[in-house]
Amino acid sequence: MWSVSNVLVLQFMLLCSLVAAEASVIHRHKFTIEETPYTKLCSSKKILTVNGKFPGPVLYATVGDTVIVDVYNKGSENITIHWHGVKMPRFPWADGPEFVTQCPIQPGTKFSQKIVLSDEEGTLWWHAHSDWSRATVHGALLIYPKKGSRFPFPKPSAEVPIILGEWWKSDIKDVLTEFTASGGDPNISDAYMINGQPGDLFPCSKNDTFKLTVEYGKTYMLRMVNAVMNNIMFFSIANHNITVVGSDGSYMKPFTSDYIAISPGQTIDFLVEANQPRNHYYMAARAYSSAPGALFNRNTTTAVVEYRGNYTPSSSPIMPNLPVFNDTNSSVTFTAKLRSLADKKHPINVPLNVTTNLLYTISLNTLPCTNNSCAGPRGSRFSASINNLTFSLPRIDILQAYYKNINQVFTREFPDFPPLNFNFTASNLSVVLRLPDRRTEVKVLEYGTVVELVFQGTNLLSGIDHPMHLHGYSFYVVGWGFGNFNKTTDPQNYNLVDPPLVNTISVPRNGWTAIRFKADNPGVWFMHCHFERHATWGMEMAFIVKNGKRSNQKVLPPPPDMPKC
Ligand SMILES: *[C@@H]1O[C@H](CO)[C@@H](O)[C@H](O)[C@H]1NC(C)=O
Ligand SMILES: *[C@@H]1O[C@H](CO)[C@@H](O)[C@H](O)[C@H]1NC(C)=O
Ligand SMILES: *[C@@H]1O[C@H](CO)[C@@H](O)[C@H](O)[C@H]1NC(C)=O
Ligand SMILES: *[C@@H]1O[C@H](CO)[C@@H](O)[C@H](O)[C@H]1NC(C)=O
Ligand SMILES: *[C@@H]1O[C@H](CO)[C@@H](O)[C@H](O)[C@H]1NC(C)=O
Ligand SMILES: *[C@@H]1O[C@H](CO)[C@@H](O)[C@H](O)[C@H]1NC(C)=O
Ligand SMILES: *[C@@H]1O[C@H](CO)[C@@H](O)[C@H](O)[C@H]1NC(C)=O
Ligand SMILES: *[C@@H]1O[C@H](CO)[C@@H](O)[C@H](O)[C@H]1NC(C)=O
Ligand SMILES: *[C@@H]1O[C@H](CO)[C@@H](O)[C@H](O)[C@H]1NC(C)=O
Ligand SMILES: *[C@@H]1O[C@H](CO)[C@@H](O)[C@H](O)[C@H]1NC(C)=O
Ligand SMILES: *[C@@H]1O[C@H](CO)[C@@H](O)[C@H](O)[C@H]1NC(C)=O
Ligand SMILES: *[C@@H]1O[C@H](CO)[C@@H](O)[C@H](O)[C@H]1NC(C)=O
Ligand SMILES: [Cu+2]
């Protein structure tokens, strides 16, 4: 299924013999990060890739396996790699976020990352977690049912990863450097992509457009990853319904829809039945953007579903109807349909006895600019915050500092509630409220704490959806709504029966989302908005989950080759 060189096969065999006593399988792969020339949209540039591939290589595993990836940085920039949605039980060391769990892998160096799978089953992905390298450094991670176990739906005829991406003609480093220096918005991208291709509506792109060839009467499983940098996406296939069966590495109750809404960081597994007249049809994706006046790319990226057989196709593929750009209803109703499968074989374990309640506001902010003419609103500089704190990345990673008791890297005073109460979603909030504080604060949780965390969107500057992602855990999404969270009335409507178990959730514009998880995975775990520009502006924080009392409840020792700062 994946290509390994002879040397790797040897390494693999050696490893297998070393760990023969262990039940789970260990796979070993080599990731070489390198600059690779790429031509797209009639222009050439060098991009960072893994093994010269864009999107990067697909990793295959079975539930509970361990995957070792030897990451060689042959590029000219620091980099880290994150295994998005993998809980890494007791082993935060290889989780990946730069200066949170590790120092970067510097050019010319190597880090062997041990990816510890546990109960994840379905589609996850991996991506760079330093600067904006994840624009081109990403790929799918497919996790299959254990031997003797099956998908909870009929076996599809084929499985196809569908990776949504975003492309800038300029060097992504320049886009990042330029917008952080100016204090404004990043330049909008030049295209969205399906499996690394913008599609045949774009110049110089027809030959390479991704094509899915299907046989009439068969069913296909599409494993979709949203690797887009800055937008939630709508996706649809002309004349074909889709049936959602999974998300974020867990199974969902099947439901039928004629479109998908997927946020950056999220994965959606769905089935497509080739039950339409033999022809060619577009699958297409474009942005959903909820903030009035926001600048974003309005292009539509396409790929083609082509039926096999002898027929005369329509002159061009049939185009699906996608929801309009600002269709918040279509975005939230799709997300609200996600429900855990919650059957006998896939039981769920929704925490009912909450011991810690947290309310985190997620806001866009502005900072004053020394010359009063930065590119943000009224000459200011954009910022973003959680509970009014803009996260400041330390110079050495928080995990190392915590493990080795190094002082003055972070403080432990992340507030449980917003420091100031105001009508979070009111329409004309005072400009004074936009100024955040900037620190490196973490929230410390005792082992076993049962957390309910309510994300409260605010209308500071502008309300917008925020796809929030937590490392080290999947969480149950027990409720959501528009406006301000009401702690008396809203919990009465929680879904505690079959809430979706996910690692990324889009908090609706000027609304709230309640999640629950049991803090039983010790370590340092990052939490952030998966819109890259919001993360860069500081919509990030970290949890420290302390060790439990038992020996199997403690963080394992670091690997010997942890990158050094
Ligand atoms: C960003 O856009 C501006 C205006 O179109 C352009 O002058 C600038 O070169 C762009 N920067 C990058 C890095 O593409
Ligand atoms: C003001 O500072 C910003 C950010 O450093 C810079 O981009 C901009 O060019 C400066 N403007 C003037 C007029 O100096
Ligand atoms: C894509 O969007 C850019 C920027 O908005 C626009 O200039 C370009 O014409 C669009 N291309 C296509 C093929 O839609
Ligand atoms: C597309 O493929 C055709 C046939 O192989 C070739 O003639 C043409 O130059 C290609 N176009 C581009 C833009 O690569
Ligand atoms: C898609 O689903 C809708 C609602 O269930 C149904 O009315 C429609 O006929 C379906 N379309 C196709 C092409 O299967
Ligand atoms: C969406 O935008 C259109 C115009 O572009 C506007 O007429 C409509 O009211 C907007 N809808 C929502 C829900 O904001
Ligand atoms: C919201 O979207 C759902 C699903 O697409 C649709 O059934 C419903 O009619 C929409 N509601 C409104 C108020 O537009
Ligand atoms: C809920 O948790 C509290 C504190 O840990 C504990 O005292 C109580 O017995 C628990 N209740 C249930 C029903 O588990
Ligand atoms: C908060 O603001 C919203 C939007 O302006 C308004 O509908 C709501 O009544 C306000 N709530 C309170 C408690 O003032
Ligand atoms: C945020 O923190 C700043 C700096 O401490 C303070 O001036 C401001 O009032 C706070 N704003 C909110 C909304 O909590
Ligand atoms: C919550 O809802 C109740 C019942 O509608 C209301 O009495 C209360 O004032 C609300 N609380 C807040 C903080 O808005
Ligand atoms: C790369 O990482 C090292 C170690 O943390 C750091 O000292 C250096 O400043 C980083 N380089 C860049 C360009 O960020
Ligand atoms: Cu955000």
Side-chain angles (χ1 to χ4, degrees), residues 3 26 29 97 109 132 165 216 232 240 283 422 425 460 474 515:
S3 58
I26 298 191
H29 301 279
T109 68
W132 277 26
Y216 183 88
I232 297 172
H240 291 72
M283 55 170 101
F422 56 96
T425 54
L460 285 176
S474 284
I515 67 168

Tab-separated table of all heavy atoms in Angstrom, residues 3 26 29 97 109 132 165 216 232 240 283 422 425 460 474 515:
chain	number	residue	atom	x	y	z
A	3	SER	N	4.993	2.804	-0.317
A	3	SER	CA	6.292	2.372	-0.811
A	3	SER	C	7.361	2.558	0.257
A	3	SER	O	7.453	3.583	0.898
A	3	SER	CB	6.649	3.179	-2.051
A	3	SER	OG	6.648	4.546	-1.734
A	26	ILE	N	4.046	-1.960	14.682
A	26	ILE	CA	4.774	-0.713	14.502
A	26	ILE	C	5.115	-0.537	13.030
A	26	ILE	O	5.688	-1.431	12.406
A	26	ILE	CB	6.070	-0.688	15.351
A	26	ILE	CG1	5.702	-0.774	16.843
A	26	ILE	CG2	6.883	0.554	15.048
A	26	ILE	CD1	6.841	-0.497	17.779
A	29	HIS	N	8.217	4.937	8.825
A	29	HIS	CA	8.259	5.703	7.582
A	29	HIS	C	9.312	6.781	7.675
A	29	HIS	O	9.683	7.211	8.759
A	29	HIS	CB	6.907	6.370	7.304
A	29	HIS	CG	5.776	5.410	7.201
A	29	HIS	ND1	5.512	4.696	6.062
A	29	HIS	CD2	4.853	5.036	8.112
A	29	HIS	CE1	4.460	3.915	6.285
A	29	HIS	NE2	4.049	4.102	7.510
A	97	PRO	N	3.357	20.730	18.104
A	97	PRO	CA	3.291	22.192	17.991
A	97	PRO	C	4.569	22.881	18.499
A	97	PRO	O	5.018	22.624	19.614
A	97	PRO	CB	2.073	22.579	18.840
A	97	PRO	CG	1.833	21.421	19.739
A	97	PRO	CD	2.310	20.211	19.002
A	109	THR	N	18.693	18.578	10.580
A	109	THR	CA	18.546	17.650	11.697
A	109	THR	C	17.344	16.742	11.497
A	109	THR	O	16.578	16.904	10.556
A	109	THR	CB	18.428	18.385	13.053
A	109	THR	OG1	17.189	19.086	13.091
A	109	THR	CG2	19.581	19.361	13.252
A	132	TRP	N	3.721	29.011	8.672
A	132	TRP	CA	2.586	28.619	7.817
A	132	TRP	C	2.943	27.467	6.875
A	132	TRP	O	2.314	27.281	5.838
A	132	TRP	CB	2.087	29.840	7.016
A	132	TRP	CG	1.149	30.701	7.798
A	132	TRP	CD1	1.082	30.834	9.166
A	132	TRP	CD2	0.111	31.550	7.280
A	132	TRP	NE1	0.082	31.710	9.518
A	132	TRP	CE2	-0.523	32.170	8.386
A	132	TRP	CE3	-0.334	31.850	5.988
A	132	TRP	CZ2	-1.579	33.075	8.231
A	132	TRP	CZ3	-1.384	32.743	5.850
A	132	TRP	CH2	-2.000	33.341	6.956
A	165	GLY	N	-7.252	22.065	-0.164
A	165	GLY	CA	-6.084	22.881	0.155
A	165	GLY	C	-6.250	24.299	-0.364
A	165	GLY	O	-7.259	24.641	-0.996
A	216	TYR	N	-20.923	2.509	-12.567
A	216	TYR	CA	-22.334	2.643	-12.218
A	216	TYR	C	-22.740	1.542	-11.235
A	216	TYR	O	-22.386	0.377	-11.418
A	216	TYR	CB	-23.227	2.586	-13.466
A	216	TYR	CG	-24.683	2.790	-13.129
A	216	TYR	CD1	-25.231	4.073	-13.081
A	216	TYR	CD2	-25.496	1.710	-12.802
A	216	TYR	CE1	-26.557	4.267	-12.728
A	216	TYR	CE2	-26.829	1.891	-12.441
A	216	TYR	CZ	-27.348	3.169	-12.401
A	216	TYR	OH	-28.655	3.373	-12.036
A	232	ILE	N	-13.615	27.938	6.238
A	232	ILE	CA	-14.518	26.796	6.239
A	232	ILE	C	-14.945	26.620	4.784
A	232	ILE	O	-15.042	27.599	4.040
A	232	ILE	CB	-15.730	27.082	7.159
A	232	ILE	CG1	-15.240	27.264	8.601
A	232	ILE	CG2	-16.788	25.980	7.056
A	232	ILE	CD1	-16.300	27.728	9.574
A	240	HIS	N	-25.463	14.218	-7.046
A	240	HIS	CA	-25.238	13.079	-6.156
A	240	HIS	C	-25.385	13.497	-4.701
A	240	HIS	O	-24.772	14.478	-4.280
A	240	HIS	CB	-23.840	12.492	-6.354
A	240	HIS	CG	-23.658	11.802	-7.661
A	240	HIS	ND1	-23.567	12.480	-8.850
A	240	HIS	CD2	-23.559	10.480	-7.968
A	240	HIS	CE1	-23.416	11.607	-9.844
A	240	HIS	NE2	-23.412	10.394	-9.338
A	283	MET	N	-17.172	17.630	-8.814
A	283	MET	CA	-17.250	17.845	-7.372
A	283	MET	C	-16.584	19.197	-7.169
A	283	MET	O	-15.593	19.511	-7.838
A	283	MET	CB	-16.588	16.723	-6.574
A	283	MET	CG	-15.161	16.387	-6.889
A	283	MET	SD	-14.462	15.254	-5.657
A	283	MET	CE	-14.552	13.695	-6.509
A	422	PHE	N	-19.398	41.293	29.567
A	422	PHE	CA	-20.113	42.284	28.771
A	422	PHE	C	-21.027	41.488	27.842
A	422	PHE	O	-20.957	40.255	27.827
A	422	PHE	CB	-19.135	43.187	27.995
A	422	PHE	CG	-18.162	42.459	27.097
A	422	PHE	CD1	-18.419	42.300	25.743
A	422	PHE	CD2	-16.973	41.919	27.611
A	422	PHE	CE1	-17.529	41.629	24.911
A	422	PHE	CE2	-16.085	41.239	26.776
A	422	PHE	CZ	-16.357	41.097	25.427
A	425	THR	N	-22.029	39.316	22.422
A	425	THR	CA	-22.460	39.271	21.019
A	425	THR	C	-23.244	40.511	20.602
A	425	THR	O	-23.921	40.502	19.575
A	425	THR	CB	-23.296	37.998	20.767
A	425	THR	OG1	-24.356	37.957	21.728
A	425	THR	CG2	-22.456	36.751	20.912
A	460	LEU	N	-16.521	41.289	19.150
A	460	LEU	CA	-15.467	42.301	19.173
A	460	LEU	C	-14.880	42.381	17.772
A	460	LEU	O	-14.547	41.339	17.193
A	460	LEU	CB	-14.371	41.913	20.171
A	460	LEU	CG	-14.713	42.105	21.651
A	460	LEU	CD1	-13.585	41.579	22.528
A	460	LEU	CD2	-14.957	43.574	21.949
A	474	SER	N	-10.069	13.804	22.063
A	474	SER	CA	-11.288	14.082	21.321
A	474	SER	C	-12.283	14.519	22.379
A	474	SER	O	-12.167	14.132	23.543
A	474	SER	CB	-11.799	12.846	20.600
A	474	SER	OG	-11.011	12.605	19.455
A	515	ILE	N	-18.344	21.828	25.011
A	515	ILE	CA	-17.690	20.524	24.823
A	515	ILE	C	-17.363	19.910	26.186
A	515	ILE	O	-17.247	20.629	27.187
A	515	ILE	CB	-16.387	20.640	23.990
A	515	ILE	CG1	-15.296	21.418	24.740
A	515	ILE	CG2	-16.664	21.280	22.630
A	515	ILE	CD1	-13.908	21.330	24.117
